[in-house]
Amino acid sequence: MNDLLGVVDWSRAQFALTAMYHWLFVPLTIGLSLIVAIMETIYVRTGQERWKGITKYWMTLFGINFACGVATGIILEFEFGTNWSNYSWFVGDIFGAPLAIEGILAFFMEATFIAVMFFGWKKVSKRFHLASTWLTALGVSLSALWILVANAWMQRPVGMEFDPDQMRNVMTDFWAVALSPMAINKFFHAVTSGWVLAAAFVVGVSAWMLLKKSNVQAAKDSIKVATWVGLAGIVLVMWTGDGSAVEVSRSQPMKLAAMEGLYDGKEGQELVGFGILNNDKKPGDDLDPMHFSIDLPYGLSILANHDAESYVPGINDLIAGRETNPETGKMMQTPSYEERILIGQEAQQALRDYGVAKQQGDTAAMASAAKTVKDNFEYFGYGYLDSPEQAVPNVPLTFYAFRIMVMAGGLLLLLFLVLIAANLKTKKLLDNKLMLWACILSIPLVWVCSQSGWIVAEAGRQPWVIQNLMPCNAAISDISAGSVQATFWVFAAIFTGLLIAEISIMLRFISASAKRNIEQSNK
Amino acid sequence: MTIGKKLWALIIIKLALIFLLLRLFFFPNVLQERYDTDEERAEAVRNALTK
């Protein structure tokens, strides 16, 4: 058992490490491809050669990031087969189909048009080149779509039926999987967050050029384009974040409760604007969950259900089975977690019986067991929990990551608004050193914001690898913790090397650009 | 070394590490390696999930 726990913990750590490193590169690829496409559009529409130079400058930085980031996501797929083999089998073709589509799009669409984008400047017409740049941006986003569809299915499994004979879920409705509200929200939230990240990157690098008094006009023009992309991105991120909150409240109410450090909910629930958690607080005890908090009245009810008077359950309520009725916004009783554990165990016993009946060729017993599995499948995963409290995620991690994401997002919104004002009114603002340093510091800030968002999404849904159906400890392979530990450190070394390579190549390129005119497109 | 050459070198080294080192030596597909047929794999997962 200790070894199993070791395997689970190390496999989770390895997956988190890989995913977080992967997500350092991906949002910059998504957002920078859009910014480069807009810059090239300006070049084609105005015919000004200087915009060609500016486009090629940012395209080179896009290329450095793409080269470092490409294929880092494939390692996640390796991990499925090695560390998470039960999970990989259990999800069947549901995970496989979106990943296969992603592979086709990534390798054919992106690879084709990215080649034209980088190497076709003198080989194809201006308009064909521009189309290739836009198609690269589209391909990057579309390939993100399919991995996010797969992720959304894990958070809200739909469009499938479990087959006890194959021991895997079979997709029954592709469109229910691809167009689930969770998937749509997640896609737009993630892609537009990439716009924000790339915009902050362009703004920060351009601010550095302004500080160095190099390429001043090109830097100001780059800031202008990036600011509008960043502002559009952050507004869309907030809008889709609002949609995500509604989805989470319906599909993963425990995650929402953890995000808020909420143990006992009510109708007209306030939102914690700022707070310090009491880390000694446990479900069911009498301790106050917060040492200190500034609350926004009715805020959480509005966020979760778009209804100020609606009920929002806390962790204790959820364990007792109290959830929100999505139709009325009132409290409704569902099976308590104790009951769900029993239901899950009954489904697992029936699945075991199915296997025995199958070996004996007893078709009647197989049918009976299959029906029991089907009737109780909704809470199948609870059968692996020893106690209801195991269904509670790491509250402090989820709570603080959520606040860091929101606060960093708020600062970025403010930055883009100030920059818009600087563009429209007081152009001298971009001569202010303090302002330029704020722009440069927005680069680490936006990455912290982006990573925090994923921590909320993934740590907040623990212990589930598939919501309500499979916890991490059931998804794991029968392998040794030592082998996972070894590959964890191999990954840590490889990814850190890649990151150092990316940062050092980028810094050298940016530093060298200060000594030349980046508006000259033949360089 | 131009930036383009550096990036190609980086991509090739990375892909070699991922597919030749990690995939072959560190990341076997556990169910594919241990069992020959899908039926055996399904039973292995049944045993793991219902023990």
Side-chain angles (χ1 to χ4, degrees), chain A residues 442-458:
Chain A
S442 73
I443 296 179
L445 181 75
V446 77
W447 257 282
V448 168
C449 181
S450 186
Q451 294 281 333
S452 300
W454 275 109
I455 291 172
V456 175
E458 299 303 303

Side-chain angles (χ1 to χ4, degrees), chain A residues 126-427:
Chain A
K126 268 187 190 180
R127 290 191 178 277
F128 187 86
H129 191 277
L130 178 63
S132 301
T133 307
W134 276 105
L135 285 167
T136 300
L138 183 67
V140 165
S141 292
L142 281 180
S143 60
L145 169 68
W146 296 105
I147 189 71
L148 291 167
V149 162
N151 180 278
W153 183 85
M154 294 159 75
Q155 318 251 0
R156 185 187 174 189
V158 289
M160 88 297 183
E161 195 167 284
F162 180 69
D163 179 354
D165 200 56
Q166 297 183 60
M167 279 301 294
R168 63 203 316 179
N169 286 284
V170 178
M171 193 187 296
T172 54
D173 185 347
F174 172 79
W175 295 111
V177 175
L179 300 178
S180 90
M182 181 72 86
I184 299 295
N185 258 305
K186 195 169 268 294
F187 169 68
F188 284 107
H189 196 60
V191 166
T192 52
S193 78
W195 298 3
V196 175
L197 185 137
F201 175 79
V202 171
V203 163
V205 173
S206 302
W208 180 83
M209 286 198 265
L210 291 178
L211 265 181
K212 293 280 169 191
K213 301 197 186 311
S214 114
N215 293 294
V216 171
Q217 195 51 49
K220 286 187 175 175
D221 286 342
S222 298
I223 286 178
K224 193 183 284 184
V225 172
T227 300
W228 284 108
V229 171
L231 187 66
I234 197 102
V235 169
L236 290 170
V237 162
M238 288 162 70
W239 183 42
T240 52
D242 174 67
S244 293
V246 174
E247 276 307 307
V248 166
S249 79
R250 291 178 183 172
S251 309
Q252 300 172 301
M254 185 61 87
K255 182 195 280 185
L256 187 73
M259 282 159 66
E260 281 299 300
L262 178 67
Y263 284 79
D264 296 295
K266 61 177 189 288
E267 290 184 0
Q269 178 64 48
E270 58 270 18
L271 179 82
V272 178
F274 178 79
I276 298 171
L277 281 176
N278 178 359
N279 287 336
D280 295 329
K281 174 72 181 169
K282 296 280 180 290
D285 68 20
D286 295 329
L287 295 177
D288 196 326
M290 311 292 292
H291 285 306
F292 164 78
S293 69
I294 300 171
D295 299 333
L296 306 172
Y298 303 102
L300 192 57
S301 288
I302 294 170
L303 186 73
N305 305 309
H306 292 170
D307 175 357
E309 299 296 335
S310 64
Y311 174 74
V312 181
I315 291 168
N316 291 332
D317 303 304
L318 290 164
I319 287 174
R322 292 188 289 275
E323 293 192 4
T324 310
N325 184 328
E327 304 295 327
T328 63
K330 302 290 179 192
M331 191 265 280
M332 68 174 183
Q333 187 64 45
T334 66
S336 71
Y337 282 17
E338 289 279 8
E339 290 166 329
R340 293 182 192 197
I341 288 172
L342 295 175
I343 293 169
Q345 287 172 348
E346 189 178 347
Q348 288 168 22
Q349 180 60 49
L351 197 55
R352 198 178 300 125
D353 295 343
Y354 184 95
V356 173
K358 188 180 172 186
Q359 281 177 350
Q360 295 169 344
D362 185 345
T363 51
M366 285 167 69
S368 169
K371 183 176 184 309
T372 306
V373 172
K374 188 175 181 180
D375 291 346
N376 297 289
F377 193 66
E378 186 180 359
Y379 300 123
F380 183 82
Y382 286 85
Y384 297 104
L385 306 181
D386 295 325
S387 69
E389 289 73 24
Q390 284 186 350
V392 181
N394 185 324
V395 176
L397 181 63
T398 314
F399 176 87
Y400 289 117
F402 179 60
R403 267 143 202 86
I404 290 169
M405 176 188 75
V406 171
M407 279 188 236
L411 286 173
L412 289 162
L413 172 66
L414 185 66
L415 177 77
F416 291 129
L417 286 173
V418 169
L419 287 171
I420 293 283
N423 280 325
L424 297 178
K425 300 259 182 193
T426 51
K427 291 191 187 302

